[in-house]
Amino acid sequence: MSRSRVYQWCTWFGKDRTSLGDEPKCGPLKTSTNEENTTRVEELIRCDRRMKIRKIALKLEIPKSTVNEIVHDILGYRKVSVRWVPKMLTEDHKLQRVEISQRLLQRCQQDNGDEDTTHIGVGPGGYFQANSNLFDNLITGDETWVHLNTPETKRDSMTWKHPSSPVTKKFKVQRSAAKMMAAVFWDAKGVILLDILPQGQCINAARYCSTLDRLEAIRHKRPGLLRRGIVLQHDNATPDSANLTQQWLQRYGWEILLILPTVQTRHPLTFICLDPRSAI
């Protein structure tokens, strides 16, 4: 113990003091975590959910440690990341999805001749089965970019090893910048046509109609489908909705299946909702 501390204790004991602890302070404790600051902090957070603790402390002129205590311990807030969704739907979009889903459900019920759609599902072999002419005659088309070199993912490169096995290594490879566009048409039984465009070309209305002409493969791969009538489902991209494409479809009498608007996806077949409640 230092000499100054010994002198200080002797002075305290000479004044009849028997405790070495700090004496209680007089008056109320001065603290920033009071009800007023708590209310002000919550008002700022409710106005801007992305406001940082540093900015709150500057606005209210209180320490950052105090703001951190109020936000986490008193108010119980936790900052989380927003959830990513493919498309932010408005109320009109949701109503359109419900309406189209109801019309598709009615179409299935009319083809089945009853009101029971519980039998729709995946049958043996992985094929989609339903006692409905809609799904038997439905052909879906979509376009996608195909890179000349697509590296395997981290999950695909995982291997089994013992603790004593050597460490496996792989080089980091980027996807090739060179790519080609492919138009794919398929039904419930598999792919019917795969049309790959030359490198550097994109699909337009004329090229799309030329691809539709190549769907003559339906006559050989799906006997009787042309006679029963084809129901085509494609998105609302410019080549698909162009006047030239519409004239081609009217000339051959193909029916266009209703699609859910304002939503883009790689597989439009996934948006056929048989339950209107699931469209929301």
Side-chain angles (χ1 to χ4, degrees), residues 151-169:
E152 61 181 4
T153 62
K154 184 177 181 180
R155 180 176 292 273
D156 294 337
S157 61
M158 296 176 64
T159 59
W160 296 103
K161 63 183 292 292
H162 290 288
S164 58
S165 301
V167 178
T168 57
K169 300 179 182 179

Side-chain angles (χ1 to χ4, degrees), residues 13-247:
F13 296 150
K15 296 180 180 180
D16 297 333
R17 179 176 176 178
T18 59
S19 175
L20 298 179
D22 295 335
E23 295 181 353
K25 297 181 180 180
C26 299
L29 296 177
K30 295 182 180 180
T31 177
S32 300
T33 56
N34 49 38
E35 185 176 355
E36 180 182 359
N37 287 337
T38 301
T39 304
R40 296 168 63 190
V41 169
E42 187 169 13
E43 290 177 354
L44 290 177
I45 293 178
R46 288 183 178 273
C47 293
D48 185 4
R49 296 280 181 169
R50 297 187 177 184
M51 185 174 293
K52 300 182 181 298
I53 290 181
R54 175 177 52 83
K55 190 173 181 180
I56 296 176
L58 292 176
K59 280 182 172 293
L60 301 182
E61 297 181 352
I62 57 179
K64 289 173 53 179
S65 58
T66 302
V67 177
N68 187 74
E69 181 181 355
I70 293 176
V71 171
H72 293 91
D73 299 338
I74 299 179
L75 297 178
Y77 281 108
R78 295 293 183 270
K79 181 168 283 189
V80 296
S81 300
V82 297
R83 178 178 297 180
W84 183 89
V85 294
K87 185 72 176 181
M88 187 67 68
L89 299 178
T90 63
E91 293 298 327
D92 293 338
H93 296 159
K94 294 179 181 180
L95 291 177
Q96 291 177 3
R97 291 167 68 88
V98 172
E99 180 183 357
I100 292 178
S101 299
Q102 289 175 342
R103 295 173 64 178
L104 289 174
L105 180 61
Q106 294 174 0
R107 171 71 181 273
C108 291
Q109 293 173 349
Q110 291 175 0
D111 292 342
N112 292 333
D114 56 21
E115 300 294 328
D116 183 18
T117 57
T118 58
H119 55 278
I120 298 178
V122 178
Y127 293 153
F128 186 83
Q129 288 188 342
N131 297 328
S132 171
N133 294 330
L134 172 63
F135 294 100
D136 293 338
N137 303 342
L138 180 64
I139 292 180
T140 305
D142 199 7
E143 300 83 28
T144 183
W145 286 104
V146 179
H147 292 265
L148 300 183
N149 178 31
T150 302
E152 61 181 4
T153 62
K154 184 177 181 180
R155 180 176 292 273
D156 294 337
S157 61
M158 296 176 64
T159 59
W160 296 103
K161 63 183 292 292
H162 290 288
S164 58
S165 301
V167 178
T168 57
K169 300 179 182 179
K170 61 175 295 186
F171 293 99
K172 185 177 181 180
V173 181
Q174 300 291 339
R175 291 194 305 177
S176 61
K179 57 184 179 180
M180 298 182 296
M181 176 168 285
V184 187
F185 291 85
W186 71 94
D187 63 355
K189 297 181 180 180
V191 176
I192 299 178
L193 174 65
L194 174 60
D195 186 15
I196 300 179
L197 278 68
Q199 186 175 350
Q201 294 186 10
C202 296
I203 196 166
N204 52 23
R207 188 64 174 81
Y208 188 68
C209 292
S210 176
T211 302
L212 292 177
D213 291 334
R214 294 187 57 190
L215 277 177
E216 184 67 20
I218 298 176
R219 190 182 306 275
H220 306 286
K221 294 185 177 181
R222 306 291 186 267
L225 182 57
L226 291 175
R227 176 174 45 83
R228 295 195 305 267
I230 294 177
V231 181
L232 178 65
Q233 182 189 23
H234 55 189
D235 52 24
N236 51 2
T238 302
D240 303 345
S241 58
N243 293 332
L244 183 62
T245 305
Q246 299 301 323
Q247 294 174 2

